[in-house]
Amino acid sequence: MKLTKEQFQKDFKDRLHHKFSIETCDANSVELFQSLGSLIKTYISGDWREDRLEQQRNQQKIAFYFSIEFLPGKMLKSNLLNLGILDLVRDGLEELGLDFEQIAEAEKDMALGNGGLGRLASCFMDSLASTGLPGFGNGIRYKYGLFKQEFIDGYQVELPDAWLTTGNIWEVRKDHEKVDVCFEGHVWLKEDKQTGRLIPVYENPRILRAVPYDTAMVGFRNEQVNNLRLWDIEIPESEERKYYSINERRQIQDITGVLYPDDSTYEGRRLRLIQEYFFTSAGLQTIVKRFKKLNLPIETIHEKIAVHINDTHPSLAVAEFMRILVDEEGMEWSQAWLATVRTMSYTNHTIMSEALEKWPVDMVKQLIPRVYQIIEEIDHRFVTEMSTKFDGDLVERTRILRDGQVHMAHLAIIGSHSTNGVAKIHSDLLKDVVLHDFYVLYPERFNNKTNGIALRRWSQISNEPLSQVLDETIGESWRSDAEKIELLMAYKDDKNVQEKLAQAKKLNKQRLADYIFKTTGVKVSTNAIFDVQVKRLHAYKRQQLKLLHIMKLYLDLKQNPELEIPPRVFIFGAKAAPSYYYAKAVIKVINEVANLINNDKKIQDKLKVVFLPNYNVSLAEIIVPAADVSEQISLASKEASGTSNMKLMLNGAITVATLDGANIEIKDAVGEENIVIFGMDKDRVYQYYREQNYNAYEVYNSDLTLKRVLNTFVDGTIPNIVREGQELFDALIKYNDEYFTLADFHSYIEAQEKIDLLYQDKAKWNKMSLINTANGGRFSSDHTVKRYAEDIWGIVAMK
Ligand SMILES: *Cc1c(COP(=O)(O)O)cnc(C)c1O
């Protein structure tokens, strides 16, 4: 956009005066941030309006991305960067004597997501706008985001994230677009005398009101502005009903109160189902209204609209769309079904069976009776049609209604034209194992779309030192075209460039070291290897394997204090679901191990362990650029894709990885010699499943090193973990180590010894690091959304 520094400074001061009636010198950073944010929103509003009008005028096909989570983090810098005024604003503010970083820091993270799933949705929002694609997000405006994590006595404590208390500067409440969503009551079908059609009659329904709050999704220097629409609930005051007790009001408001803090596990709670239907129905109702303004035949709705179901949470979209088309638009069932299947597409995010959503039939029937009737009809017709072509058992296994439950993934697959996994290995596992039955029914529906990351946030915004080296070395084309980072490959043997990259890394490590000292009081040296594992805490991600490695090094050093190993700082960031006791025990143990090691003088600072509280997007932006080693150590086959693996390699970290998720594609991108692979592959894992002959106790008992290390959990070596240490020990021995941690232990230790050797060869390490950065471009989510646009949604770029 065209803007001079002087104009900006004037606009900014005016805004502060109008908004708060104060001078810049009196304002605190929250007020400064809010003035700045509201000004930026004004700068955006023209393009935002214009793009919406243009979409209408051109009858542009739009992809509506339904996701129960969005995890954008802070938006100020991203918006400024994308508008092309980041430096101008920074300079302008500094000239006014203001600290830009401090102002940016005042923004609250928008943390309406648990982890990878929500972060992916936000990366896609950024990339859709940045590639000029008409995309539109639909989600929930939770009053409280993911809990804030603190450690007390080494234990995780969860505090509410009241992110809206000082207001959300980016959103716009769209009062005129509110819609009603209908729950409960009874529904029966009455024949319409004239047409002979069956019309649903609702008795005593509970009507809830959905109000949208829109946030601009600004494209990178292309004047494209898309929309992220988050739905909030309001008291549906009407002529018939005006009075609600405080209790009733609270109950209603609770519906959009909190984001469920479970990651990779399914929580069968009624309120969650209400949330799912609430935002899905509200979103679809608006979409159909919008389509009708185009005055096109309703049968062609799939030509103008694509609806994406991000994981199973919005799967009810299939039945709700049918309800709208049949009940409200009067379409014939078969025609409506055709349009629905062509409109919908679905992404599967996990093969973990505990995450597969299933709702009790009774609950669905009671809560959304009409939608349930439609699900029954879909299920019935599915069985009728498929039974003529396929084996009865197969059809029975793939039904939506089975064992008294509604299977959400089945609904999504049967009611859509595309089902994709999120990395090659994951998509293969879906076809071959997890969803094999469906693959037999609909082979043409299955495809892969490897995840990606919003490259701008994970380089230009969070890693300015690296960005500068890239500019100086390969020019600035990489800033708009991610694949251009590969130009860096031409300098892979250039000592000067390698050295500059190492210097940039050093700056980032210093920034992280300062942050670590400020938040934990632990002093770490930037000469040490910064070994990073950041992700949700989950047994399948195997933070416990990292712990075993740390304890082995500790024991080695205790035995031989002169042992020559390069110093390491182990850095963790992870939240555990509040009800996930094992994960919380792992947190406690890591914190106590940190206490033990960091305070042991004999270790001579060769090891430090740091668990930074409250891992979120903003913290990731500090940790990722500073990492030397990226730990991606899930049991092969369990991590669908991973995206922190991509962020870290782009930032020059060397990955220690199992052959899982996108790690495999990272290996293919950088070459085997620039990544450290260890452990079983998925075939070995599945062989154990088939043969049922994994015996953790035997592994433990036959390996003295492992035995010694594992015993530290229960023999008092680590203080204050009597209960938690036992819990870990039991998970690994008594309950036979569900994720084969012990089986991979040796191979993992060897991988880490390899890292030690490589790190001591500075030239080699720097070259490997450079090659990782140079090949990060292919994991840009710009690329990923283009594949979705072409292969699945059938949308084209506006810009
Ligand atoms: C990228 C990201 C994730 C995903 O991490 P994985 O290692 O892929 O599970 C989770 N949380 C935050 C805050 C992230 O930025």
Side-chain angles (χ1 to χ4, degrees):
M1 65 176 288
K2 286 197 188 64
L3 181 72
T4 64
K5 189 159 59 184
E6 292 66 34
Q7 183 64 45
F8 162 71
Q9 288 170 326
K10 180 176 178 305
D11 291 348
F12 177 70
K13 282 189 278 189
D14 286 351
R15 187 57 58 117
L16 191 70
H17 296 160
H18 289 151
K19 214 171 155 60
F20 296 109
S21 300
I22 47 174
E23 304 307 313
T24 45
C25 55
D26 297 325
N28 70 15
S29 48
V30 172
E31 290 157 341
L32 290 168
F33 164 71
Q34 291 192 345
S35 304
L36 181 57
S38 100
L39 174 61
I40 303 307
K41 193 167 70 182
T42 316
Y43 288 161
I44 296 167
S45 63
D47 286 339
W48 198 7
R49 215 180 66 241
E50 187 47 46
D51 281 343
R52 191 171 55 239
L53 293 173
E54 193 183 324
Q55 287 170 0
Q56 294 263 332
R57 266 200 309 276
N58 300 349
Q59 306 194 338
Q60 194 103 24
K61 184 171 186 182
I62 301 175
F64 292 89
Y65 196 84
F66 280 67
S67 179
I68 204 160
E69 301 189 2
F70 286 92
L71 187 52
K74 299 193 200 308
M75 267 175 302
L76 177 67
K77 282 191 191 174
S78 173
N79 283 340
L80 292 174
L81 179 84
N82 290 2
L83 290 169
I85 56 172
L86 178 56
D87 291 336
L88 180 148
V89 165
R90 191 193 318 244
D91 293 350
L93 291 171
E94 311 262 308
E95 269 184 29
L96 296 176
L98 299 168
D99 181 342
F100 175 70
E101 286 303 322
Q102 204 181 330
I103 295 172
E105 194 54 39
E107 179 175 3
K108 290 237 172 38
D109 265 47
M110 187 172 177
L112 310 184
N114 273 287
L117 176 93
R119 185 53 229 166
L120 183 78
S122 284
C123 283
F124 280 11
M125 285 298 113
D126 180 313
S127 283
L128 281 163
S130 293
T131 50
L133 288 162
F136 190 118
N138 257 291
I140 297 176
R141 182 177 179 269
Y142 301 102
K143 187 162 176 215
Y144 296 95
L146 184 60
F147 65 85
K148 184 166 182 292
Q149 178 195 54
E150 282 184 15
F151 299 136
I152 295 184
D153 208 11
Y155 291 104
Q156 167 175 295
V157 175
E158 301 105 26
L159 303 170
D161 167 44
W163 70 293
L164 284 169
T165 44
T166 48
N168 172 10
I169 202 68
W170 304 115
E171 69 187 11
V172 181
R173 183 176 182 278
K174 292 278 171 71
D175 193 72
H176 67 282
E177 295 212 61
K178 58 192 172 201
V179 294
D180 286 345
V181 180
C182 188
F183 286 93
E184 299 176 4
H186 290 277
V187 176
W188 51 280
L189 298 175
K190 186 177 95 178
E191 191 175 318
D192 183 295
K193 288 278 169 344
Q194 272 167 355
T195 61
R197 292 175 58 91
L198 292 174
I199 310 287
V201 180
Y202 292 73
E203 272 175 7
N204 302 318
R206 192 165 160 223
I207 309 288
L208 298 176
R209 181 148 303 157
V211 184
Y213 286 73
D214 289 355
T215 301
M217 295 286 118
V218 181
F220 182 73
R221 296 183 194 170
N222 64 354
E223 287 163 18
Q224 173 91 9
V225 182
N226 287 339
N227 204 5
L228 170 61
R229 172 160 288 185
L230 300 179
W231 292 92
D232 196 3
I233 198 155
E234 284 183 11
I235 310 292
E237 275 153 305
S238 66
E239 284 307 309
E240 301 99 73
R241 178 121 202 242
K242 279 202 182 106
Y243 302 103
Y244 292 84
S245 71
I246 301 243
N247 237 346
E248 283 172 314
R249 283 171 189 274
R250 186 172 308 138
Q251 264 185 18
I252 292 173
Q253 276 154 352
D254 279 351
I255 291 172
T256 53
V258 291
L259 161 74
Y260 279 88
D262 286 288
D263 188 66
S264 308
T265 32
Y266 154 70
E267 266 239 54
R269 293 216 216 158
R270 193 166 177 273
L271 188 58
R272 172 75 161 192
L273 182 59
I274 298 177
Q275 288 183 341
E276 294 183 359
Y277 183 64
F278 175 74
F279 93 98
T280 304
S281 173
L284 288 178
Q285 288 186 53
T286 339
I287 289 169
V288 174
K289 269 192 200 157
R290 192 182 167 115
F291 173 76
K292 286 169 73 178
K293 287 199 185 131
L294 301 178
N295 285 318
L296 295 168
I298 190 82
E299 314 82 73
T300 64
I301 190 163
H302 59 277
E303 292 171 15
K304 299 295 167 196
I305 283 163
V307 170
H308 199 78
I309 300 171
N310 188 34
D311 213 339
T312 52
H313 322 112
S315 291
L316 289 171
V318 170
E320 175 66 3
F321 203 58
M322 283 299 287
R323 186 191 68 74
I324 296 173
L325 295 184
V326 173
D327 289 355
E328 293 180 8
E329 302 305 322
M331 276 174 91
E332 289 300 327
W333 181 281
S334 54
Q335 213 171 29
W337 182 246
L338 207 61
T340 298
V341 171
R342 287 171 166 177
T343 302
M344 302 287 155
S345 50
Y346 157 63
T347 296
N348 172 289
H349 282 270
T350 182
I351 68 159
M352 307 276 290
S353 55
E354 60 264 47
L356 292 180
E357 267 194 303
K358 304 174 200 79
W359 292 100
V361 160
D362 291 340
M363 200 194 284
V364 179
K365 204 188 266 182
Q366 190 268 331
L367 208 58
I368 36 176
R370 179 59 186 149
V371 174
Y372 181 72
Q373 289 174 349
I374 289 172
I375 293 174
E376 268 188 329
E377 184 67 22
I378 295 171
D379 183 63
H380 174 71
R381 289 181 187 236
F382 169 78
V383 173
T384 310
E385 184 198 335
M386 289 301 172
S387 298
T388 61
K389 296 184 243 173
F390 297 96
D391 161 65
D393 285 346
L394 172 67
V395 177
E396 197 50 41
R397 286 197 302 273
T398 48
R399 284 183 60 173
I400 300 164
L401 299 174
R402 287 195 75 205
D403 319 325
Q405 298 188 300
V406 180
H407 292 244
M408 300 291 269
H410 300 196
L411 178 60
I413 299 167
I414 291 168
S416 67
H417 66 280
S418 169
T419 292
N420 73 282
V422 290
K424 280 184 194 143
I425 179 182
H426 170 60
S427 297
D428 287 344
L429 277 165
L430 292 182
K431 288 197 280 192
D432 300 344
V433 188
V434 189
L435 300 176
H436 180 70
D437 287 337
F438 289 96
Y439 181 62
V440 172
L441 302 181
Y442 312 111
E444 73 290 348
R445 291 189 182 180
F446 283 77
N447 63 93
N448 175 56
K449 296 284 170 285
T450 300
N451 282 169
I453 54 172
L455 220 80
R456 291 163 291 277
R457 179 175 291 266
W458 301 107
S459 54
Q460 297 183 53
I461 293 174
S462 58
N463 197 342
E464 291 187 2
L466 171 67
S467 303
Q468 244 170 44
V469 179
L470 289 176
D471 285 350
E472 287 163 22
T473 313
I474 58 172
E476 295 190 13
S477 62
W478 69 277
R479 287 182 177 262
S480 48
D481 179 0
E483 317 250 320
K484 289 273 167 34
I485 296 191
E486 240 187 293
L487 293 171
L488 192 61
M489 278 304 270
Y491 301 86
K492 67 182 193 314
D493 296 307
D494 185 323
K495 289 281 168 306
N496 185 29
V497 173
Q498 286 176 7
E499 187 48 39
K500 279 200 212 167
L501 287 169
Q503 284 302 324
K505 177 65 76 182
K506 195 88 169 178
L507 284 175
N508 292 321
K509 286 171 80 169
Q510 189 58 55
R511 177 172 70 152
L512 178 57
D514 294 344
Y515 181 88
I516 290 172
F517 183 68
K518 195 178 76 193
T519 46
T520 68
V522 177
K523 279 199 185 118
V524 300
S525 160
T526 56
N527 292 322
I529 300 176
F530 278 22
D531 182 336
V532 167
Q533 188 174 21
V534 285
K535 48 187 74 260
R536 281 301 286 258
L537 215 142
H538 205 292
Y540 85 82
K541 292 178 182 278
R542 301 201 297 190
Q543 278 92 353
Q544 67 274 14
L545 181 56
K546 185 77 251 165
L547 255 179
L548 295 179
H549 172 225
I550 296 171
M551 285 312 292
K552 173 179 184 297
L553 288 178
Y554 179 69
L555 294 180
D556 288 352
L557 279 168
K558 286 299 262 190
Q559 206 166 41
N560 177 10
E562 303 311 313
L563 188 69
E564 281 300 321
I565 53 164
R568 278 212 207 205
V569 182
F570 297 95
I571 297 158
F572 292 93
K575 288 178 182 173
S579 58
Y580 189 178
Y581 291 102
Y582 170 81
K584 292 177 113 172
V586 174
I587 290 180
K588 169 70 171 168
V589 174
I590 295 174
N591 277 323
E592 292 301 338
V593 166
N595 257 337
L596 172 70
I597 293 181
N598 297 344
N599 296 312
D600 191 330
K601 295 280 178 301
K602 284 216 191 69
I603 299 306
Q604 301 167 28
D605 288 348
K606 279 182 180 152
L607 302 180
K608 291 279 175 196
V609 181
V610 180
F611 201 141
L612 289 170
N614 204 36
Y615 182 59
N616 61 11
V617 172
S618 288
L619 184 51
E621 288 174 22
I622 302 175
I623 297 176
V624 167
D628 293 308
V629 173
S630 161
E631 300 281 351
Q632 307 300 336
I633 59 180
S634 53
L635 174 65
S637 77
K638 293 296 176 287
E639 188 73 271
S641 164
T643 49
S644 72
N645 45 4
M646 302 169 185
K647 299 168 198 166
L648 284 154
M649 64 84 80
L650 172 72
N651 281 271
I654 307 302
T655 313
V656 175
T658 48
L659 288 172
D660 200 14
N663 301 345
I664 298 173
E665 286 154 78
I666 292 177
K667 172 179 86 70
D668 294 342
V670 302
E672 236 155 339
E673 63 289 2
N674 296 303
I675 187 170
V676 179
I677 299 291
F678 76 97
M680 299 189 276
D681 65 7
K682 82 166 197 317
D683 295 335
R684 184 68 190 93
V685 171
Y686 274 86
Q687 189 185 338
Y688 271 129
Y689 292 154
R690 273 195 313 277
E691 296 174 358
Q692 296 278 308
N693 59 357
Y694 179 63
N695 186 331
Y697 181 76
E698 237 165 56
V699 182
Y700 163 82
N701 216 23
S702 62
D703 181 334
L704 275 179
T705 311
L706 178 58
K707 199 167 186 173
R708 211 165 42 107
V709 171
L710 210 49
N711 285 349
T712 62
F713 292 155
V714 285
D715 67 7
T717 307
I718 309 164
N720 306 323
I721 57 154
V722 176
R723 210 181 57 223
E724 294 78 18
Q726 188 69 48
E727 187 164 349
L728 249 76
F729 189 87
D730 287 349
L732 294 174
I733 302 297
K734 192 165 157 196
Y735 300 109
N736 204 31
D737 184 16
E738 189 178 355
Y739 298 104
F740 304 148
T741 316
L742 306 187
D744 278 348
F745 173 73
H746 253 286
S747 169
Y748 185 54
I749 296 297
E750 279 168 24
Q752 296 295 351
E753 286 167 354
K754 198 166 157 193
I755 286 286
D756 281 345
L757 283 178
L758 287 166
Y759 195 75
Q760 283 161 329
D761 185 347
K762 280 281 165 301
K764 180 147 191 193
W765 185 272
N766 291 343
K767 177 173 172 180
M768 287 174 73
S769 173
L770 180 152
I771 291 172
N772 271 270
T773 298
N775 287 286
R778 77 182 73 185
F779 298 105
S780 164
S781 50
D782 290 0
H783 178 75
T784 315
V785 297
K786 282 185 198 162
R787 299 275 77 73
Y788 276 88
E790 278 174 33
D791 303 348
I792 300 178
W793 300 329
I795 57 170
V796 293
M798 296 170 65
K799 301 276 159 73

